[in-house]
Amino acid sequence: MKYFSYLLLIATIGFHLVLNFSETKILADPNDNIFQYSLVDRTNWVWSQYHCPFSFQCLANLVDHNVPTWVEGYPLPFYYSHIPQIALVSSYHLLIAPIVSIFSSDFSLYIYYNWTKYLLLSFLPLSFFIALRIAGFNPILSVMGAFLGSHFSTDGLYGIDQPSYLWRGYGLTSQLYAIFFFPLAIASTYRALRDESENHKKKYTLLAAVFLTLTTAGHLGLGIMGFLSTIPFLFFDRVRTHIFLRMKKIFLICAIPLLLLSYWIIPVLLYNNYHMISFWDPLWKFNSYGWYEVIKQIWAGELFDWLRPFPIITTLVVIGFFATALKKEKFPIALLFAFWTLLYFGRTTWGGLIDLIPGMKDFHQHRFLVGVQIAGIFLIPEAILFLSKTIRNGFHFLRDAYAKTHKNTISLSNLHIIYYILIILSASIIAYLTVLQTISYASLNNRWINEANIAYKYDEKNFKNLLSYLSKLPDYRIYAGRPGNWGHDFRLGSTQMYMLFGVNGKNMSQFLPETWSPLSENEQNFDERTPEDYDLLNIGYVVAPKNQGFPKEVVLEKKFGPFELYKAPTSGWFDVVTSPMIVRTDKTNFLNIVHLWHRSFSRRWKMNPIISLEKNPKMPFAMERSIEMIDEVNYTENGLTGNIFADFPLTFPESTPSGRISSEKVSGQSYKATIDVSSNCKFCMIMFKQSFHPDWSATVDGKKADIYAVFPFYLATPVTGGVHTVEFHYSPNRLKVALLVLEIVLIFGAIFYIFFHRKNHV
Amino acid sequence: MKYFLFILFIGLLIRILLIGNTGFIADISFWKSWSMAAFDHGIVWTSHNTNINYPPGFFYVLYVMGMIYRFFGDPHNYNMYWRENNFAFLLVSKSFAIAADCFIAAGLYWFFAQKKKLEELGLSQRAVEFIEKYHIGLILSSIFFLSPVVIIDSALWGQVESFGIMFTLLAILLIFYKKPTLATVLFTIGFLMKLQNIIYIPLYFLFIYKTYDMRTTVKSFAAMVGAFALVNLPFILSRDINQSLNLMVINNDYFPWLSLNAHNLWWIVAGGKGMTISNKITVVGIANAKTVGLILFSSAYLLSTILLYKKPSPKNFFLALSVGIFSFFMYTAESHERYSYPILVFLLLYFPFLLNKAKFPQENSSKKHSILSLVLLNKPILFFWIVYALFTIGIFFNIHSGLVFNYPENGFSILTHLTTIKLTLFNSYLLILLSLALLYFVFGEISWLLGLVCVGFFSVGIIGVNASYIFENTVSLTAFKPIIISQGYGTLQVNRSVNSEKGWKSWSRLSDDYYFYRKGFGTHAPSNLVFNINGKFSNFATDYGIDTEAGTAASSRFEIWGDGKKLFESETMGRFEFPRHIKVSVKGVKFLGLTVSDNGDGINDDHVDWFNPVLIK
């Protein structure tokens, strides 16, 4: 039976390998993979820029660098997952590229990226299978659980199902990295807390810690879910002393990943005010759907069986839930499912209560579906066991009844065959009904990839020529439309042009793959008919299918087949502004006042107030006005309350500051300029058009200068009249680097200690 | 047995005499419409194409009702079928509840004849002997079957309360007979027939847990899910379970009034006009009647839960169910007059347990004399029967007045003439006193100090909903529910734009030309929202404007009203205008109105919002 199970597992993996092979041939993604691969591409840029792997600067910059591609630049790896990108890039350079180069010269990092996600997706059943084996299920039940777990289906609810990862779906590759280890972390935690044997406990404690670390490294959000998933395992029984002991073990399991990833997690917590909660993100992402909608989703089979004629997996999960809850040693797994279902109700149901869990204010709570589905995988085998036992009992009952009335007329052993045929038939029907939807979804995926590739190739040359031409021009931002206007249908293949430039290392405006940057909201105030807006966002180029009514200052430069390249007016990366007022705010209350500023004359007259998220902000000079936002529209000033629309708090400068940027140079993560500032410039600041983050530093005429955030949320440093050389530079966070070094020392120290300790014992 | 059959005969005779009464004509008409649809087009179709607001289990009853009627007449014969005095339909529709009455009476009679079981359930040997000797089972089942409350509900009104109770009782009996799984299946069918039975769920599972163990509780819960799925199978197979779930919640604010003729706390608050006053009126601080009612009910329910948790026994189970259902009737706003009925059944089942501590009369007394002596000898028993009798009178009068307020000709004429608002108010006070009388039995079981826990719970609840009013200078108007809502399109959305009513995929924050707000109201012109702020505030400040989701044709004017007097009128606002801000004095204002007009050019695209509306103390 064991080998039969392995065979089934291979068949399951083989099924996905065959079904999704088109994923390896993708030429351009139309989904979040654009974002994911752009991060890989940027990591690759860091790898070459900082001479990895043999340089001191390499590791620090790999884990913390600015990503200028979208929303006026943001140090995404500071907050977002970066270890998968580093693993990909380093394995590509150190292992894959040298080996593949022997056979072929055409194996790019992008192809490698596609292969890794394809293989991870296809091998997900292996992860599920091992997790179920660790949880104590026999091979045949484990493989059935793994099989069904790989066929979950939702209408794109961002769960662990295929629509989350495939080309026609959402491209949540970062989640995929974490999903691979998440079930293993849960299973190991379960065993670490359940097993009696000390050896087992140690082994699974270590494994749980390792898998939890890998889950968190793959996706911080899922990592948090991993930590939360340990809570139900406290309750194998209700004996207080036992609960206390398990609490200690869970503390150990969680402490290891927290320690290993502290270089990432601690700075995220400390600098959380520069990680924004976006109003642009749909409400359901932050708040989830509420109890009523979730109950509806469950009963309608939308969490596991979208578009199936009968909610077969949902039925198994529900049966499994009760069957599991009835087993003392498995009870916490049922509890885990209930726990995630309750949390999945989200803030829509729990309101502020859910914010008592650390990190929930910034969390996309609709992702708790992942917890529901992962827990569901562990329930399926128990359901199958329950059903097969029920069928067997029923069968035995019938057999006994039959035997009583038909003595010597039938051989009882023949009836066993009927039983097995019945079981195999049931399993086959379930399998058949299950895979149909997966095949149906994937078939269309494969067809669309093929069609998109043909369309992509048709104009690929023109696009490459355009890229090549752009690479010879100064490095300004590009505007190629946006999702809400003509940009939506301006594509190469099936991919919008505003997405494609990012993958090719270009800095874009008006495409918002993430909304964490404090500038992500107000970037969207851009109006393509207003020349000043190009300057504000340093949009130097427009790529469009034709002139969309751009202002006269935006002039056609060159045509590349269907792509027209325009040049737009911009002062470059720097500008001289005046900041006579300061706005103190939290990390969301500034959005409306910045929007108002954007639409006012204050902005046109280059009055860019200082904006501070700090409780006690420093100020470069005595301010004319200082206001504090108390909510999204109301503010206080000198103890009085005002409303931004009724009282318009923005000041008008005495005159528009003038300055001339005589030279500008971009080198790595440094931006340098020589700027002539007029002598009568009051409250004068040199504004650098990248979003503010404390990890930037500035020098003015070679001397370290203070940095500030000015409207819309750009970096700036104060200057006086005269000619100045100004340089802004992004460096990895010092605390992050220190923690990273400390961890490396600790890890090596631990390894040496274990090694010598054992040697001495021997 | 022959006495029981005699009682059954008498009871049935009374019912048959009353069947021809057209009863609560609206309800009978609904049965006609829904049963015809269910039989002609099926269950799922009926749920979509009629105004049905009953849970899915009841559809099967309607289906059978429709089927049986076809033996008597053709439902498609319009004139015949829809005649108010269509006796055949009255007979068919009322038969279900009458059959349930008979079943419950038989069940009571049978149950009190089970000597061993009664002892197992905690009755003393002496009590059991007394029950047998003096035919207490017969007496209790007769009290039920001949109760005017039971008769008026099923045979006169044409309602089906007893149908729901029948399933609950069956479930309870099966728990006693160690069949918790089957019990739960029937219990589930019960609340899928009559939704108010859902109130018993926490007490029911707590009792199973305390009587058996966690394992049995889980099994029972599984049985509930399984039974729910089975009953809903037509919806599941047609991938339309949403519709079924919708039927389970549709009654929330279906009739948004203080009291639906229920003689309860809110009937008194309404001065006897419960069906004309909104359940959103502000009653305590800034809390509205509905919220206060829910907190009151939850506090009382907590008491019944504590009782069952601390002293789990069949006796206390019946007492807890009585407290639970009567609190639901007495304290929640939007309660129907009929919701109190089940207490009369649960109290009958509770009574025999009082015999455990009773002083019994001398052996040589005559039977009749003995029962009377027993009652007179034991103050708790005397008290119980006085309370029970008053409950019967009070509930009967309540149901009867509910009927005659709508159909005066269908009541008992003398009583109809006696029924006045004053008398209904008196009845409400009586029923409140009776609900307090139940505490006598509760605190006979548990310490009165535990009652303080419920008082504490109530206090915390009231302070919680009033927290912003007590501790802060400003209160968001979103903390209030409007007592009047009318708008030209969609439904009022709180903290979301009006299009959000389409479902979560359309949820959008409130915004005006991409200026975003966390709080406020998303509505559509012409819109009228009235809030009962009770003169507690001095100023009202708000932003307002056209929502970003609106089309370019939007144009509206915003007005603020205080007690019918216009306090503010805006200029015409368009789609691309910035939000505006206004602050007005609302000193002494009891009813604050927010209206938005379509500016006289039609309502197209007029998605309008009140942003960040706050009341200032």
Side-chain angles (χ1 to χ4, degrees), chain A residues 231-450:
Chain A
I231 296 169
F233 294 115
L234 286 171
F235 304 104
F236 276 94
D237 56 44
R238 285 178 291 166
V239 181
R240 274 187 201 168
T241 49
H242 293 178
I243 291 174
F244 184 68
L245 285 172
R246 285 193 284 269
M247 211 181 280
K248 282 196 335 193
K249 175 94 17 129
I250 284 176
F251 179 77
L252 183 67
I253 289 170
C254 294
I256 294 170
L258 285 173
L259 189 71
L260 288 171
L261 300 172
S262 60
Y263 79 90
W264 178 24
I265 293 167
I266 291 173
V268 165
L269 296 173
L270 291 175
Y271 292 85
N272 188 40
N273 51 347
Y274 294 98
H275 168 204
M276 213 186 61
I277 298 170
S278 171
F279 283 154
W280 283 83
D281 272 344
L283 271 171
W284 51 266
K285 280 196 175 181
F286 281 108
N287 296 349
S288 195
Y289 312 99
W291 72 271
Y292 183 61
E293 186 61 37
V294 168
I295 297 291
K296 273 204 309 194
Q297 287 177 0
I298 293 173
W299 276 100
E302 288 170 5
L303 300 189
F304 301 95
D305 293 295
W306 177 61
L307 284 187
R308 289 202 176 98
F310 185 78
I312 201 150
I313 298 180
T314 310
T315 308
L316 288 174
V317 166
V318 172
I319 292 171
F321 171 75
F322 291 112
T324 305
L326 288 172
K327 290 190 170 171
K328 194 179 170 232
E329 78 281 3
K330 292 248 167 71
F331 177 76
I333 292 177
L335 203 58
L336 182 72
F337 182 78
F339 175 75
W340 281 120
T341 306
L342 290 174
L343 279 185
Y344 185 43
F345 294 170
R347 193 178 290 108
T348 304
T349 290
W350 302 118
L353 269 182
I354 205 160
D355 294 330
L356 296 175
I357 303 171
M360 284 304 111
K361 276 187 181 164
D362 300 341
F363 202 93
H364 279 177
Q365 292 171 9
H366 74 114
R367 291 285 184 99
F368 287 150
L369 170 62
V370 168
V372 177
Q373 289 185 326
I374 293 273
I377 292 172
F378 290 91
L379 302 178
I380 290 170
E382 208 58 64
I384 294 168
L385 189 64
F386 172 82
L387 288 176
S388 63
K389 274 185 183 171
T390 308
I391 293 172
R392 192 178 60 196
N393 291 342
F395 184 79
H396 282 175
F397 174 79
L398 289 175
R399 187 194 61 183
D400 295 345
Y402 191 80
K404 273 182 193 168
T405 52
H406 296 77
K407 270 184 186 172
N408 304 325
T409 57
I410 188 167
S411 161
L412 289 181
S413 60
N414 289 342
L415 286 171
H416 280 288
I417 296 168
I418 299 172
Y419 168 68
Y420 284 117
I421 289 172
L422 207 63
I423 290 287
I424 291 167
L425 203 67
S426 310
S428 306
I429 290 169
I430 289 175
Y432 175 73
L433 291 174
T434 307
V435 297
L436 274 183
Q437 167 56 18
T438 313
I439 292 172
S440 155
Y441 189 87
S443 303
L444 212 51
N445 183 54
N446 297 340
R447 200 179 101 194
W448 286 350
I449 289 174
N450 193 31

Side-chain angles (χ1 to χ4, degrees), chain A residues 632-646:
Chain A
E632 60 269 48
V633 286
N634 295 305
Y635 64 88
T636 56
E637 184 177 18
N638 301 323
L640 297 173
T641 305
N643 176 282
I644 62 169
F645 298 111

Side-chain angles (χ1 to χ4, degrees), chain A residues 155 238 279 284 289 292-293 299-300 308 322 326 588-589 592 595-596 599 631-633 643 645, chain B residues 209 215 221-222 228 239 241-242 245-246 504-505 507 509 513-518 543 578 581 612:
Chain A
D155 184 13
R238 285 178 291 166
F279 283 154
W284 51 266
Y289 312 99
Y292 183 61
E293 186 61 37
W299 276 100
R308 289 202 176 98
F322 291 112
L326 288 172
T588 49
N589 283 341
N592 283 338
H595 186 185
L596 185 67
R599 310 246 320 241
D631 59 38
E632 60 269 48
V633 286
N643 176 282
F645 298 111
Chain B
Y209 173 66
R215 196 178 158 76
F221 196 66
F228 187 89
R239 303 303 307 235
I241 191 77
N242 288 358
L245 295 173
N246 183 42
W504 64 267
K505 286 182 180 172
W507 287 358
R509 289 177 201 275
D513 207 23
Y514 299 100
Y515 290 99
F516 290 95
Y517 290 80
R518 293 187 188 90
D543 288 11
F578 287 4
H581 176 76
N612 218 3

Side-chain angles (χ1 to χ4, degrees), chain A residues 557-618:
Chain A
E557 171 82 3
K558 202 169 184 296
K559 288 188 179 182
F560 300 86
F563 314 118
E564 293 185 357
L565 174 67
Y566 295 79
K567 274 194 172 177
T570 172
S571 66
W573 291 105
F574 295 89
D575 206 348
V576 179
V577 298
T578 176
S579 305
M581 70 177 288
I582 182 167
V583 176
R584 282 173 291 142
T585 170
D586 74 359
K587 66 181 183 176
T588 49
N589 283 341
F590 67 90
L591 295 170
N592 283 338
I593 193 171
V594 175
H595 186 185
L596 185 67
W597 167 85
H598 188 101
R599 310 246 320 241
S600 73
F601 281 107
S602 301
R603 197 262 295 198
R604 297 195 174 202
W605 295 347
K606 298 199 175 179
M607 195 291 286
N608 295 45
I610 290 177
I611 184 166
S612 177
L613 309 183
E614 307 295 335
K615 278 187 180 164
N616 299 305
K618 57 181 181 181

Side-chain angles (χ1 to χ4, degrees), chain B residues 146-443:
Chain B
L146 299 178
S147 166
V149 173
V150 180
I151 292 170
I152 193 176
D153 190 76
S154 56
L156 192 72
W157 185 303
Q159 255 295 346
V160 288
E161 311 301 322
S162 55
F163 209 70
I165 297 169
M166 178 178 74
F167 281 98
T168 307
L169 276 189
L170 261 175
I172 293 170
L173 288 181
L174 284 166
I175 294 176
F176 294 159
Y177 279 86
K178 313 282 181 204
K179 302 271 183 209
T181 311
L182 183 60
T184 309
V185 170
L186 290 170
F187 176 73
T188 308
I189 292 171
F191 73 71
L192 289 176
M193 293 277 181
K194 206 65 184 151
L195 196 60
Q196 61 263 38
N197 285 17
I198 216 161
I199 292 301
Y200 308 129
I201 290 179
L203 291 173
Y204 177 84
F205 279 101
L206 179 61
F207 185 64
I208 288 189
Y209 173 66
K210 284 293 193 177
T211 309
Y212 299 93
D213 50 18
M214 180 55 97
R215 196 178 158 76
T216 311
T217 313
V218 172
K219 273 188 177 176
S220 302
F221 196 66
M224 186 171 80
V225 173
F228 187 89
L230 269 179
V231 171
N232 282 291
L233 204 58
F235 291 95
I236 293 173
L237 291 176
S238 55
R239 303 303 307 235
D240 201 10
I241 191 77
N242 288 358
Q243 180 61 14
S244 168
L245 295 173
N246 183 42
L247 290 169
M248 305 288 288
V249 295
I250 199 172
N251 284 314
N252 182 31
D253 272 344
Y254 198 82
F255 299 108
W257 309 114
L258 270 186
S259 165
L260 309 179
N261 286 326
H263 295 174
N264 60 12
L265 173 70
W266 301 111
W267 188 257
I268 295 168
V269 172
K273 295 173 183 170
M275 290 281 280
T276 55
I277 296 177
S278 166
N279 60 358
K280 308 299 183 318
I281 57 161
T282 306
V283 287
V284 182
I286 60 166
N288 64 37
K290 186 176 178 178
T291 308
V292 173
L294 274 175
I295 296 171
L296 264 171
F297 161 63
S298 306
S299 310
Y301 200 90
L302 178 66
L303 184 67
S304 60
T305 311
I306 292 172
L307 166 70
L308 197 57
Y309 185 82
K310 299 287 283 182
K311 295 266 184 76
S313 66
K315 175 189 175 187
N316 287 339
F317 186 34
F318 290 125
L319 183 56
L321 289 171
S322 304
V323 173
I325 191 65
F326 204 70
S327 309
F328 180 61
F329 162 79
M330 186 49 69
Y331 301 121
T332 58
E334 213 184 332
S335 180
H336 273 287
E337 65 285 272
R338 291 166 282 111
Y339 287 177
S340 54
Y341 167 175
I343 194 175
L344 294 177
V345 183
F346 294 135
L347 284 181
L348 286 180
L349 286 154
Y350 171 73
F351 164 70
F353 295 94
L354 291 178
L355 296 174
N356 277 353
K357 288 182 183 171
K359 289 177 200 162
F360 289 94
Q362 297 298 317
E363 285 291 320
N364 53 6
S365 312
S366 74
K367 279 183 189 177
K368 203 173 174 184
H369 192 223
S370 291
I371 293 172
L372 196 60
S373 308
L374 174 95
V375 173
L376 294 173
L377 265 174
N378 295 279
K379 280 182 185 167
I381 292 176
L382 177 64
F383 182 65
F384 174 87
W385 283 113
I386 292 170
V387 167
Y388 190 86
L390 290 173
F391 262 128
T392 305
I393 294 165
I395 293 169
F396 171 72
F397 178 69
N398 191 174
I399 294 179
H400 182 269
S401 62
L403 176 71
V404 299
F405 277 166
N406 292 280
Y407 306 101
E409 70 282 8
N410 286 351
F412 298 111
S413 59
I414 297 170
L415 193 55
T416 306
H417 288 299
L418 287 175
T419 304
T420 60
I421 293 291
K422 271 188 184 170
L423 201 57
T424 62
L425 287 170
F426 174 78
N427 195 38
S428 304
Y429 284 112
L430 171 72
L431 290 171
I432 286 182
L433 281 176
L434 291 175
S435 73
L436 295 175
L438 289 176
L439 297 179
Y440 168 79
F441 299 105
V442 173
F443 292 126

